[in-house]
PDB file of all heavy atoms in Angstrom:
ATOM      1  N   GLY A  11     -12.270  24.396  -2.515  1.00  0.00           N
ATOM      2  CA  GLY A  11     -12.912  25.463  -1.769  1.00  0.00           C
ATOM      3  C   GLY A  11     -13.707  26.469  -2.689  1.00  0.00           C
ATOM      4  O   GLY A  11     -13.699  26.321  -3.944  1.00  0.00           O
ATOM      5  N   THR A  12     -14.172  27.450  -2.085  1.00  0.00           N
ATOM      6  CA  THR A  12     -14.888  28.449  -2.936  1.00  0.00           C
ATOM      7  C   THR A  12     -14.115  29.323  -3.801  1.00  0.00           C
ATOM      8  O   THR A  12     -14.628  29.737  -4.837  1.00  0.00           O
ATOM      9  CB  THR A  12     -15.710  29.323  -1.801  1.00  0.00           C
ATOM     10  OG1 THR A  12     -16.418  28.513  -0.937  1.00  0.00           O
ATOM     11  CG2 THR A  12     -16.682  30.300  -2.568  1.00  0.00           C
ATOM     12  N   THR A  13     -12.898  29.677  -3.397  1.00  0.00           N
ATOM     13  CA  THR A  13     -12.062  30.488  -4.258  1.00  0.00           C
ATOM     14  C   THR A  13     -10.869  29.800  -4.855  1.00  0.00           C
ATOM     15  O   THR A  13     -10.292  30.314  -5.807  1.00  0.00           O
ATOM     16  CB  THR A  13     -11.550  31.742  -3.500  1.00  0.00           C
ATOM     17  OG1 THR A  13     -10.777  31.301  -2.354  1.00  0.00           O
ATOM     18  CG2 THR A  13     -12.720  32.620  -2.994  1.00  0.00           C
ATOM     19  N   PHE A  34      -9.474  30.002  -8.931  1.00  0.00           N
ATOM     20  CA  PHE A  34     -10.160  29.917 -10.192  1.00  0.00           C
ATOM     21  C   PHE A  34     -11.283  31.040 -10.231  1.00  0.00           C
ATOM     22  O   PHE A  34     -11.450  31.762  -9.175  1.00  0.00           O
ATOM     23  CB  PHE A  34     -10.890  28.560 -10.444  1.00  0.00           C
ATOM     24  CG  PHE A  34     -11.796  28.204  -9.262  1.00  0.00           C
ATOM     25  CD1 PHE A  34     -13.134  28.557  -9.244  1.00  0.00           C
ATOM     26  CD2 PHE A  34     -11.309  27.458  -8.171  1.00  0.00           C
ATOM     27  CE1 PHE A  34     -13.973  28.232  -8.133  1.00  0.00           C
ATOM     28  CE2 PHE A  34     -12.097  27.091  -7.146  1.00  0.00           C
ATOM     29  CZ  PHE A  34     -13.479  27.519  -7.130  1.00  0.00           C
ATOM     30  N   GLY A  35     -11.951  31.276 -11.320  1.00  0.00           N
ATOM     31  CA  GLY A  35     -12.782  32.409 -11.528  1.00  0.00           C
ATOM     32  C   GLY A  35     -14.086  32.432 -10.738  1.00  0.00           C
ATOM     33  O   GLY A  35     -14.714  31.363 -10.497  1.00  0.00           O
ATOM     34  N   GLN A  36     -14.441  33.730 -10.313  1.00  0.00           N
ATOM     35  CA  GLN A  36     -15.667  33.876  -9.590  1.00  0.00           C
ATOM     36  C   GLN A  36     -16.574  34.573 -10.622  1.00  0.00           C
ATOM     37  O   GLN A  36     -16.180  35.559 -11.123  1.00  0.00           O
ATOM     38  CB  GLN A  36     -15.525  34.736  -8.336  1.00  0.00           C
ATOM     39  CG  GLN A  36     -14.498  34.113  -7.330  1.00  0.00           C
ATOM     40  CD  GLN A  36     -14.967  32.822  -6.677  1.00  0.00           C
ATOM     41  OE1 GLN A  36     -16.095  32.723  -6.248  1.00  0.00           O
ATOM     42  NE2 GLN A  36     -14.096  31.863  -6.651  1.00  0.00           N
ATOM     43  N   ILE A  37     -17.824  34.072 -10.809  1.00  0.00           N
ATOM     44  CA  ILE A  37     -18.662  34.730 -11.879  1.00  0.00           C
ATOM     45  C   ILE A  37     -19.822  35.372 -11.131  1.00  0.00           C
ATOM     46  O   ILE A  37     -20.533  34.707 -10.348  1.00  0.00           O
ATOM     47  CB  ILE A  37     -19.158  33.673 -12.875  1.00  0.00           C
ATOM     48  CG1 ILE A  37     -17.865  32.982 -13.406  1.00  0.00           C
ATOM     49  CG2 ILE A  37     -20.017  34.228 -13.976  1.00  0.00           C
ATOM     50  CD1 ILE A  37     -18.124  31.602 -14.109  1.00  0.00           C
ATOM     51  N   PHE A  38     -20.022  36.683 -11.412  1.00  0.00           N
ATOM     52  CA  PHE A  38     -21.124  37.362 -10.730  1.00  0.00           C
ATOM     53  C   PHE A  38     -22.032  37.991 -11.851  1.00  0.00           C
ATOM     54  O   PHE A  38     -21.966  39.055 -12.197  1.00  0.00           O
ATOM     55  CB  PHE A  38     -20.561  38.505  -9.852  1.00  0.00           C
ATOM     56  CG  PHE A  38     -19.550  38.050  -8.861  1.00  0.00           C
ATOM     57  CD1 PHE A  38     -18.177  38.361  -9.000  1.00  0.00           C
ATOM     58  CD2 PHE A  38     -19.902  37.340  -7.735  1.00  0.00           C
ATOM     59  CE1 PHE A  38     -17.228  37.939  -8.081  1.00  0.00           C
ATOM     60  CE2 PHE A  38     -18.964  36.954  -6.807  1.00  0.00           C
ATOM     61  CZ  PHE A  38     -17.654  37.284  -6.992  1.00  0.00           C
ATOM     62  N   GLY A  42     -25.900  39.799  -6.273  1.00  0.00           N
ATOM     63  CA  GLY A  42     -26.273  38.746  -5.474  1.00  0.00           C
ATOM     64  C   GLY A  42     -26.218  37.271  -5.999  1.00  0.00           C
ATOM     65  O   GLY A  42     -26.460  36.341  -5.359  1.00  0.00           O
ATOM     66  N   TRP A  43     -25.837  37.176  -7.257  1.00  0.00           N
ATOM     67  CA  TRP A  43     -25.661  35.934  -7.952  1.00  0.00           C
ATOM     68  C   TRP A  43     -24.165  35.495  -7.938  1.00  0.00           C
ATOM     69  O   TRP A  43     -23.262  36.332  -8.224  1.00  0.00           O
ATOM     70  CB  TRP A  43     -26.161  35.951  -9.322  1.00  0.00           C
ATOM     71  CG  TRP A  43     -27.627  36.069  -9.573  1.00  0.00           C
ATOM     72  CD1 TRP A  43     -28.461  36.759  -8.758  1.00  0.00           C
ATOM     73  CD2 TRP A  43     -28.414  35.552 -10.619  1.00  0.00           C
ATOM     74  NE1 TRP A  43     -29.744  36.702  -9.234  1.00  0.00           N
ATOM     75  CE2 TRP A  43     -29.713  35.996 -10.467  1.00  0.00           C
ATOM     76  CE3 TRP A  43     -28.127  34.786 -11.760  1.00  0.00           C
ATOM     77  CZ2 TRP A  43     -30.769  35.637 -11.264  1.00  0.00           C
ATOM     78  CZ3 TRP A  43     -29.128  34.511 -12.610  1.00  0.00           C
ATOM     79  CH2 TRP A  43     -30.494  34.892 -12.422  1.00  0.00           C
ATOM     80  N   VAL A  44     -23.878  34.253  -7.665  1.00  0.00           N
ATOM     81  CA  VAL A  44     -22.517  33.789  -7.757  1.00  0.00           C
ATOM     82  C   VAL A  44     -22.422  32.435  -8.381  1.00  0.00           C
ATOM     83  O   VAL A  44     -23.225  31.546  -8.099  1.00  0.00           O
ATOM     84  CB  VAL A  44     -21.887  33.608  -6.333  1.00  0.00           C
ATOM     85  CG1 VAL A  44     -20.371  33.380  -6.362  1.00  0.00           C
ATOM     86  CG2 VAL A  44     -22.175  34.818  -5.435  1.00  0.00           C
ATOM     87  N   GLU A  45     -21.586  32.382  -9.427  1.00  0.00           N
ATOM     88  CA  GLU A  45     -21.462  31.043 -10.207  1.00  0.00           C
ATOM     89  C   GLU A  45     -19.947  30.658 -10.355  1.00  0.00           C
ATOM     90  O   GLU A  45     -19.067  31.515 -10.217  1.00  0.00           O
ATOM     91  CB  GLU A  45     -22.037  31.244 -11.616  1.00  0.00           C
ATOM     92  CG  GLU A  45     -23.503  31.588 -11.622  1.00  0.00           C
ATOM     93  CD  GLU A  45     -24.056  31.759 -13.048  1.00  0.00           C
ATOM     94  OE1 GLU A  45     -23.338  31.764 -13.987  1.00  0.00           O
ATOM     95  OE2 GLU A  45     -25.333  31.933 -13.104  1.00  0.00           O
ATOM     96  N   HIS A  46     -19.748  29.413 -10.572  1.00  0.00           N
ATOM     97  CA  HIS A  46     -18.363  28.869 -10.889  1.00  0.00           C
ATOM     98  C   HIS A  46     -18.621  28.047 -12.264  1.00  0.00           C
ATOM     99  O   HIS A  46     -19.651  27.495 -12.450  1.00  0.00           O
ATOM    100  CB  HIS A  46     -17.880  27.902  -9.816  1.00  0.00           C
ATOM    101  CG  HIS A  46     -17.516  28.601  -8.568  1.00  0.00           C
ATOM    102  ND1 HIS A  46     -17.422  27.950  -7.329  1.00  0.00           N
ATOM    103  CD2 HIS A  46     -17.224  29.848  -8.293  1.00  0.00           C
ATOM    104  CE1 HIS A  46     -17.072  28.773  -6.404  1.00  0.00           C
ATOM    105  NE2 HIS A  46     -16.924  29.962  -6.913  1.00  0.00           N
ATOM    106  N   ASP A  47     -17.445  27.962 -12.970  1.00  0.00           N
ATOM    107  CA  ASP A  47     -17.495  27.176 -14.056  1.00  0.00           C
ATOM    108  C   ASP A  47     -16.889  25.796 -13.623  1.00  0.00           C
ATOM    109  O   ASP A  47     -15.830  25.593 -13.215  1.00  0.00           O
ATOM    110  CB  ASP A  47     -16.467  27.705 -15.127  1.00  0.00           C
ATOM    111  CG  ASP A  47     -16.238  26.819 -16.279  1.00  0.00           C
ATOM    112  OD1 ASP A  47     -16.678  25.728 -16.262  1.00  0.00           O
ATOM    113  OD2 ASP A  47     -15.590  27.313 -17.280  1.00  0.00           O
ATOM    114  N   ALA A  48     -17.875  24.822 -13.661  1.00  0.00           N
ATOM    115  CA  ALA A  48     -17.469  23.485 -13.020  1.00  0.00           C
ATOM    116  C   ALA A  48     -16.327  22.848 -13.763  1.00  0.00           C
ATOM    117  O   ALA A  48     -15.550  22.035 -13.190  1.00  0.00           O
ATOM    118  CB  ALA A  48     -18.764  22.572 -13.081  1.00  0.00           C
ATOM    119  N   ILE A  51     -13.341  24.235 -12.227  1.00  0.00           N
ATOM    120  CA  ILE A  51     -13.144  23.612 -10.883  1.00  0.00           C
ATOM    121  C   ILE A  51     -12.347  22.259 -11.141  1.00  0.00           C
ATOM    122  O   ILE A  51     -11.380  22.007 -10.529  1.00  0.00           O
ATOM    123  CB  ILE A  51     -14.515  23.384 -10.200  1.00  0.00           C
ATOM    124  CG1 ILE A  51     -15.031  24.712  -9.751  1.00  0.00           C
ATOM    125  CG2 ILE A  51     -14.325  22.404  -9.083  1.00  0.00           C
ATOM    126  CD1 ILE A  51     -16.340  24.535  -8.897  1.00  0.00           C
ATOM    127  N   GLN A  81     -16.285  22.778  -0.944  1.00  0.00           N
ATOM    128  CA  GLN A  81     -17.327  23.809  -0.665  1.00  0.00           C
ATOM    129  C   GLN A  81     -18.698  23.081  -0.659  1.00  0.00           C
ATOM    130  O   GLN A  81     -18.906  22.250  -1.624  1.00  0.00           O
ATOM    131  CB  GLN A  81     -17.218  24.947  -1.734  1.00  0.00           C
ATOM    132  CG  GLN A  81     -17.354  24.425  -3.157  1.00  0.00           C
ATOM    133  CD  GLN A  81     -17.592  25.548  -4.181  1.00  0.00           C
ATOM    134  OE1 GLN A  81     -18.383  26.488  -3.888  1.00  0.00           O
ATOM    135  NE2 GLN A  81     -16.872  25.509  -5.285  1.00  0.00           N
ATOM    136  N   ARG A  82     -19.471  23.374   0.280  1.00  0.00           N
ATOM    137  CA  ARG A  82     -20.746  22.699   0.356  1.00  0.00           C
ATOM    138  C   ARG A  82     -21.906  23.401  -0.370  1.00  0.00           C
ATOM    139  O   ARG A  82     -21.754  24.495  -0.671  1.00  0.00           O
ATOM    140  CB  ARG A  82     -21.106  22.592   1.841  1.00  0.00           C
ATOM    141  CG  ARG A  82     -20.089  21.858   2.608  1.00  0.00           C
ATOM    142  CD  ARG A  82     -20.321  21.782   4.146  1.00  0.00           C
ATOM    143  NE  ARG A  82     -20.540  23.065   4.705  1.00  0.00           N
ATOM    144  CZ  ARG A  82     -20.918  23.279   6.071  1.00  0.00           C
ATOM    145  NH1 ARG A  82     -21.168  22.185   6.743  1.00  0.00           N
ATOM    146  NH2 ARG A  82     -21.066  24.461   6.534  1.00  0.00           N
ATOM    147  N   GLU A  83     -22.945  22.704  -0.589  1.00  0.00           N
ATOM    148  CA  GLU A  83     -24.162  23.185  -1.144  1.00  0.00           C
ATOM    149  C   GLU A  83     -24.261  23.528  -2.618  1.00  0.00           C
ATOM    150  O   GLU A  83     -25.269  23.692  -3.238  1.00  0.00           O
ATOM    151  CB  GLU A  83     -24.705  24.414  -0.371  1.00  0.00           C
ATOM    152  CG  GLU A  83     -25.079  24.105   1.070  1.00  0.00           C
ATOM    153  CD  GLU A  83     -23.953  24.537   1.983  1.00  0.00           C
ATOM    154  OE1 GLU A  83     -23.045  25.179   1.597  1.00  0.00           O
ATOM    155  OE2 GLU A  83     -24.024  24.141   3.257  1.00  0.00           O
ATOM    156  N   THR A  84     -23.075  23.874  -3.198  1.00  0.00           N
ATOM    157  CA  THR A  84     -22.906  24.370  -4.525  1.00  0.00           C
ATOM    158  C   THR A  84     -23.442  23.201  -5.493  1.00  0.00           C
ATOM    159  O   THR A  84     -23.099  22.070  -5.291  1.00  0.00           O
ATOM    160  CB  THR A  84     -21.445  24.728  -4.817  1.00  0.00           C
ATOM    161  OG1 THR A  84     -21.153  25.819  -4.005  1.00  0.00           O
ATOM    162  CG2 THR A  84     -21.189  25.141  -6.285  1.00  0.00           C
ATOM    163  N   VAL A  85     -24.205  23.673  -6.517  1.00  0.00           N
ATOM    164  CA  VAL A  85     -24.887  22.713  -7.381  1.00  0.00           C
ATOM    165  C   VAL A  85     -24.323  22.635  -8.807  1.00  0.00           C
ATOM    166  O   VAL A  85     -24.136  23.625  -9.399  1.00  0.00           O
ATOM    167  CB  VAL A  85     -26.345  23.146  -7.574  1.00  0.00           C
ATOM    168  CG1 VAL A  85     -27.140  22.380  -8.563  1.00  0.00           C
ATOM    169  CG2 VAL A  85     -27.066  23.121  -6.158  1.00  0.00           C
ATOM    170  N   VAL A  86     -23.966  21.409  -9.213  1.00  0.00           N
ATOM    171  CA  VAL A  86     -23.552  21.123 -10.559  1.00  0.00           C
ATOM    172  C   VAL A  86     -24.528  20.206 -11.274  1.00  0.00           C
ATOM    173  O   VAL A  86     -24.955  19.263 -10.609  1.00  0.00           O
ATOM    174  CB  VAL A  86     -22.154  20.469 -10.644  1.00  0.00           C
ATOM    175  CG1 VAL A  86     -21.533  20.477 -12.043  1.00  0.00           C
ATOM    176  CG2 VAL A  86     -21.138  21.235  -9.681  1.00  0.00           C
ATOM    177  N   ASN A  98     -23.348  26.933 -15.654  1.00  0.00           N
ATOM    178  CA  ASN A  98     -22.407  27.164 -14.601  1.00  0.00           C
ATOM    179  C   ASN A  98     -22.986  26.558 -13.320  1.00  0.00           C
ATOM    180  O   ASN A  98     -24.119  26.496 -13.168  1.00  0.00           O
ATOM    181  CB  ASN A  98     -22.148  28.606 -14.319  1.00  0.00           C
ATOM    182  CG  ASN A  98     -21.148  29.191 -15.407  1.00  0.00           C
ATOM    183  OD1 ASN A  98     -20.322  28.531 -15.949  1.00  0.00           O
ATOM    184  ND2 ASN A  98     -21.362  30.504 -15.633  1.00  0.00           N
ATOM    185  N   ALA A  99     -22.058  26.231 -12.411  1.00  0.00           N
ATOM    186  CA  ALA A  99     -22.466  25.802 -11.026  1.00  0.00           C
ATOM    187  C   ALA A  99     -22.999  26.935 -10.330  1.00  0.00           C
ATOM    188  O   ALA A  99     -22.429  28.096 -10.390  1.00  0.00           O
ATOM    189  CB  ALA A  99     -21.269  25.215 -10.304  1.00  0.00           C
ATOM    190  N   ILE A 100     -24.116  26.678  -9.588  1.00  0.00           N
ATOM    191  CA  ILE A 100     -24.632  27.778  -8.701  1.00  0.00           C
ATOM    192  C   ILE A 100     -24.006  27.639  -7.325  1.00  0.00           C
ATOM    193  O   ILE A 100     -24.158  26.605  -6.624  1.00  0.00           O
ATOM    194  CB  ILE A 100     -26.153  27.810  -8.701  1.00  0.00           C
ATOM    195  CG1 ILE A 100     -26.747  27.924 -10.060  1.00  0.00           C
ATOM    196  CG2 ILE A 100     -26.659  28.942  -7.870  1.00  0.00           C
ATOM    197  CD1 ILE A 100     -28.233  27.986 -10.092  1.00  0.00           C
ATOM    198  N   VAL A 101     -23.342  28.675  -6.863  1.00  0.00           N
ATOM    199  CA  VAL A 101     -22.493  28.628  -5.680  1.00  0.00           C
ATOM    200  C   VAL A 101     -23.348  28.812  -4.423  1.00  0.00           C
ATOM    201  O   VAL A 101     -24.400  29.546  -4.452  1.00  0.00           O
ATOM    202  CB  VAL A 101     -21.353  29.606  -5.732  1.00  0.00           C
ATOM    203  CG1 VAL A 101     -20.537  29.653  -4.500  1.00  0.00           C
ATOM    204  CG2 VAL A 101     -20.524  29.338  -7.040  1.00  0.00           C
ATOM    205  N   TRP A 102     -22.989  28.267  -3.316  1.00  0.00           N
ATOM    206  CA  TRP A 102     -23.639  28.441  -2.062  1.00  0.00           C
ATOM    207  C   TRP A 102     -23.960  29.807  -1.638  1.00  0.00           C
ATOM    208  O   TRP A 102     -25.047  30.097  -1.124  1.00  0.00           O
ATOM    209  CB  TRP A 102     -22.884  27.710  -0.912  1.00  0.00           C
ATOM    210  CG  TRP A 102     -21.539  28.235  -0.677  1.00  0.00           C
ATOM    211  CD1 TRP A 102     -20.357  27.847  -1.240  1.00  0.00           C
ATOM    212  CD2 TRP A 102     -21.144  29.199   0.278  1.00  0.00           C
ATOM    213  NE1 TRP A 102     -19.322  28.506  -0.816  1.00  0.00           N
ATOM    214  CE2 TRP A 102     -19.709  29.450   0.157  1.00  0.00           C
ATOM    215  CE3 TRP A 102     -21.848  30.052   1.163  1.00  0.00           C
ATOM    216  CZ2 TRP A 102     -19.046  30.339   0.892  1.00  0.00           C
ATOM    217  CZ3 TRP A 102     -21.130  30.969   1.891  1.00  0.00           C
ATOM    218  CH2 TRP A 102     -19.741  31.107   1.766  1.00  0.00           C
ATOM    219  N   GLN A 103     -23.148  30.748  -2.028  1.00  0.00           N
ATOM    220  CA  GLN A 103     -23.341  32.151  -1.671  1.00  0.00           C
ATOM    221  C   GLN A 103     -24.534  32.797  -2.511  1.00  0.00           C
ATOM    222  O   GLN A 103     -24.992  33.889  -2.137  1.00  0.00           O
ATOM    223  CB  GLN A 103     -22.110  32.966  -1.923  1.00  0.00           C
ATOM    224  CG  GLN A 103     -21.010  32.563  -1.133  1.00  0.00           C
ATOM    225  CD  GLN A 103     -19.673  32.999  -1.773  1.00  0.00           C
ATOM    226  OE1 GLN A 103     -19.526  32.807  -3.035  1.00  0.00           O
ATOM    227  NE2 GLN A 103     -18.648  33.365  -0.978  1.00  0.00           N
ATOM    228  N   CYS A 104     -24.909  32.194  -3.577  1.00  0.00           N
ATOM    229  CA  CYS A 104     -25.819  32.834  -4.525  1.00  0.00           C
ATOM    230  C   CYS A 104     -27.225  33.014  -3.862  1.00  0.00           C
ATOM    231  O   CYS A 104     -27.777  32.006  -3.383  1.00  0.00           O
ATOM    232  CB  CYS A 104     -25.880  31.962  -5.783  1.00  0.00           C
ATOM    233  SG  CYS A 104     -26.889  32.787  -7.100  1.00  0.00           S
ATOM    234  N   ARG A 105     -27.777  34.197  -4.061  1.00  0.00           N
ATOM    235  CA  ARG A 105     -29.084  34.478  -3.471  1.00  0.00           C
ATOM    236  C   ARG A 105     -30.274  34.514  -4.410  1.00  0.00           C
ATOM    237  O   ARG A 105     -31.326  34.978  -4.082  1.00  0.00           O
ATOM    238  CB  ARG A 105     -29.074  35.874  -2.686  1.00  0.00           C
ATOM    239  CG  ARG A 105     -27.865  36.058  -1.728  1.00  0.00           C
ATOM    240  CD  ARG A 105     -27.832  35.092  -0.607  1.00  0.00           C
ATOM    241  NE  ARG A 105     -28.874  35.205   0.339  1.00  0.00           N
ATOM    242  CZ  ARG A 105     -29.135  34.439   1.395  1.00  0.00           C
ATOM    243  NH1 ARG A 105     -28.320  33.373   1.632  1.00  0.00           N
ATOM    244  NH2 ARG A 105     -30.235  34.589   2.163  1.00  0.00           N
ATOM    245  N   ARG A 106     -30.018  33.978  -5.646  1.00  0.00           N
ATOM    246  CA  ARG A 106     -31.058  34.078  -6.623  1.00  0.00           C
ATOM    247  C   ARG A 106     -32.385  33.413  -6.288  1.00  0.00           C
ATOM    248  O   ARG A 106     -33.380  33.762  -6.898  1.00  0.00           O
ATOM    249  CB  ARG A 106     -30.565  33.535  -8.010  1.00  0.00           C
ATOM    250  CG  ARG A 106     -30.606  32.027  -8.126  1.00  0.00           C
ATOM    251  CD  ARG A 106     -30.032  31.598  -9.445  1.00  0.00           C
ATOM    252  NE  ARG A 106     -28.624  31.965  -9.515  1.00  0.00           N
ATOM    253  CZ  ARG A 106     -27.877  31.776 -10.704  1.00  0.00           C
ATOM    254  NH1 ARG A 106     -28.362  31.285 -11.739  1.00  0.00           N
ATOM    255  NH2 ARG A 106     -26.644  32.170 -10.650  1.00  0.00           N
ATOM    256  N   THR A 107     -32.384  32.456  -5.337  1.00  0.00           N
ATOM    257  CA  THR A 107     -33.604  31.819  -5.061  1.00  0.00           C
ATOM    258  C   THR A 107     -34.237  32.348  -3.749  1.00  0.00           C
ATOM    259  O   THR A 107     -35.142  31.648  -3.200  1.00  0.00           O
ATOM    260  CB  THR A 107     -33.376  30.242  -4.872  1.00  0.00           C
ATOM    261  OG1 THR A 107     -32.402  30.074  -3.911  1.00  0.00           O
ATOM    262  CG2 THR A 107     -32.816  29.713  -6.169  1.00  0.00           C
ATOM    263  N   PRO A 133     -31.783  30.252   0.726  1.00  0.00           N
ATOM    264  CA  PRO A 133     -31.120  30.023  -0.634  1.00  0.00           C
ATOM    265  C   PRO A 133     -29.819  29.335  -0.521  1.00  0.00           C
ATOM    266  O   PRO A 133     -29.333  28.752  -1.545  1.00  0.00           O
ATOM    267  CB  PRO A 133     -31.033  31.420  -1.233  1.00  0.00           C
ATOM    268  CG  PRO A 133     -31.920  32.303  -0.431  1.00  0.00           C
ATOM    269  CD  PRO A 133     -32.070  31.597   0.856  1.00  0.00           C
ATOM    270  N   TYR A 134     -29.126  29.418   0.611  1.00  0.00           N
ATOM    271  CA  TYR A 134     -27.825  28.809   0.867  1.00  0.00           C
ATOM    272  C   TYR A 134     -27.864  27.309   0.389  1.00  0.00           C
ATOM    273  O   TYR A 134     -26.897  26.858  -0.202  1.00  0.00           O
ATOM    274  CB  TYR A 134     -27.719  28.907   2.438  1.00  0.00           C
ATOM    275  CG  TYR A 134     -26.452  28.377   3.068  1.00  0.00           C
ATOM    276  CD1 TYR A 134     -25.213  28.286   2.465  1.00  0.00           C
ATOM    277  CD2 TYR A 134     -26.516  28.154   4.403  1.00  0.00           C
ATOM    278  CE1 TYR A 134     -24.120  27.926   3.101  1.00  0.00           C
ATOM    279  CE2 TYR A 134     -25.425  27.733   5.146  1.00  0.00           C
ATOM    280  CZ  TYR A 134     -24.167  27.619   4.435  1.00  0.00           C
ATOM    281  OH  TYR A 134     -23.098  27.223   5.114  1.00  0.00           O
ATOM    282  N   PHE A 135     -28.907  26.526   0.677  1.00  0.00           N
ATOM    283  CA  PHE A 135     -28.942  25.151   0.459  1.00  0.00           C
ATOM    284  C   PHE A 135     -29.233  24.874  -0.951  1.00  0.00           C
ATOM    285  O   PHE A 135     -29.695  25.645  -1.774  1.00  0.00           O
ATOM    286  CB  PHE A 135     -29.804  24.493   1.408  1.00  0.00           C
ATOM    287  CG  PHE A 135     -29.456  24.869   2.886  1.00  0.00           C
ATOM    288  CD1 PHE A 135     -30.283  25.667   3.516  1.00  0.00           C
ATOM    289  CD2 PHE A 135     -28.336  24.419   3.401  1.00  0.00           C
ATOM    290  CE1 PHE A 135     -29.963  26.038   4.858  1.00  0.00           C
ATOM    291  CE2 PHE A 135     -27.998  24.801   4.689  1.00  0.00           C
ATOM    292  CZ  PHE A 135     -28.819  25.575   5.426  1.00  0.00           C
ATOM    293  N   SER A 136     -28.941  23.564  -1.420  1.00  0.00           N
ATOM    294  CA  SER A 136     -28.923  23.200  -2.919  1.00  0.00           C
ATOM    295  C   SER A 136     -30.311  23.133  -3.512  1.00  0.00           C
ATOM    296  O   SER A 136     -30.411  23.480  -4.666  1.00  0.00           O
ATOM    297  CB  SER A 136     -28.228  21.871  -3.117  1.00  0.00           C
ATOM    298  OG  SER A 136     -27.082  21.777  -2.312  1.00  0.00           O
ATOM    299  N   LYS A 139     -31.736  25.878  -5.735  1.00  0.00           N
ATOM    300  CA  LYS A 139     -30.740  26.129  -6.815  1.00  0.00           C
ATOM    301  C   LYS A 139     -30.910  25.126  -7.940  1.00  0.00           C
ATOM    302  O   LYS A 139     -30.880  25.475  -9.146  1.00  0.00           O
ATOM    303  CB  LYS A 139     -29.266  26.136  -6.248  1.00  0.00           C
ATOM    304  CG  LYS A 139     -29.005  27.168  -5.202  1.00  0.00           C
ATOM    305  CD  LYS A 139     -27.575  27.022  -4.813  1.00  0.00           C
ATOM    306  CE  LYS A 139     -27.002  27.729  -3.544  1.00  0.00           C
ATOM    307  NZ  LYS A 139     -27.321  29.146  -3.531  1.00  0.00           N
ATOM    308  N   ILE A 143     -32.234  25.581 -11.857  1.00  0.00           N
ATOM    309  CA  ILE A 143     -31.623  25.116 -13.054  1.00  0.00           C
ATOM    310  C   ILE A 143     -32.627  24.370 -13.960  1.00  0.00           C
ATOM    311  O   ILE A 143     -32.723  24.589 -15.179  1.00  0.00           O
ATOM    312  CB  ILE A 143     -30.326  24.317 -12.740  1.00  0.00           C
ATOM    313  CG1 ILE A 143     -29.176  25.151 -12.140  1.00  0.00           C
ATOM    314  CG2 ILE A 143     -29.826  23.556 -14.071  1.00  0.00           C
ATOM    315  CD1 ILE A 143     -27.998  24.353 -11.756  1.00  0.00           C
ATOM    316  N   VAL A 164     -20.202  19.464  -5.291  1.00  0.00           N
ATOM    317  CA  VAL A 164     -18.912  19.427  -5.870  1.00  0.00           C
ATOM    318  C   VAL A 164     -18.178  18.136  -5.665  1.00  0.00           C
ATOM    319  O   VAL A 164     -17.385  17.653  -6.567  1.00  0.00           O
ATOM    320  CB  VAL A 164     -18.073  20.697  -5.380  1.00  0.00           C
ATOM    321  CG1 VAL A 164     -16.638  20.588  -5.814  1.00  0.00           C
ATOM    322  CG2 VAL A 164     -18.746  22.036  -5.956  1.00  0.00           C
TER     323      VAL A 164
END
Side-chain angles (χ1 to χ4, degrees):
T12 308
T13 58
F34 57 87
Q36 305 292 314
I37 305 163
F38 305 108
W43 291 31
V44 190
E45 298 178 355
H46 289 159
D47 174 349
I51 287 184
Q81 54 168 318
R82 303 178 298 176
E83 299 99 9
T84 297
V85 171
V86 189
N98 281 333
I100 303 186
V101 178
W102 58 273
Q103 297 155 320
C104 186
R105 308 301 293 176
R106 79 182 62 184
T107 58
Y134 184 22
F135 305 109
S136 317
K139 296 181 191 311
I143 291 176
V164 171

